[in-house]
Amino acid sequence: MGQRTQSAVGCLLMALGWGAGLAVWAVDVRARFWRFEQAPDWSVLYAELPLALLGGTAAGLALWAALSRLLGRVRGSR
């Protein structure tokens, strides 16, 4: 796999990880935001959202690292 392909795959996996983090965060966000029916819980936006996006990004990075290492071993054994 060339450098350009590897870079493109890394960027794609980062974007997919970011999207997965956003999708996981979006599950039942309305109920978490209006948790106590008195006032909105803003920590859903300033704490949970960035953590979900960072977690998704970290998952994308870990997947990219695992795939590049696995493909490097397969390519090196030939």
Side-chain angles (χ1 to χ4, degrees):
M1 184 173 358
Q3 273 188 323
R4 287 185 180 181
T5 306
Q6 192 174 15
S7 297
V9 168
C11 289
L12 179 65
L13 286 174
M14 291 285 294
L16 288 175
W18 193 82
L22 185 62
V24 167
W25 174 81
V27 172
D28 204 27
V29 72
R30 179 177 264 171
R32 287 194 325 266
F33 188 68
W34 293 101
R35 193 169 292 167
F36 297 112
E37 297 287 335
Q38 295 175 359
D41 184 12
W42 293 102
S43 69
V44 170
L45 295 177
Y46 70 79
E48 291 181 17
L49 178 59
L51 287 175
L53 295 178
L54 283 173
T57 303
L61 276 172
L63 183 61
W64 176 75
L67 284 176
S68 64
R69 183 171 293 243
L70 179 68
L71 290 176
R73 286 185 184 173
V74 169
R75 194 174 358 142
S77 66
R78 289 183 185 181

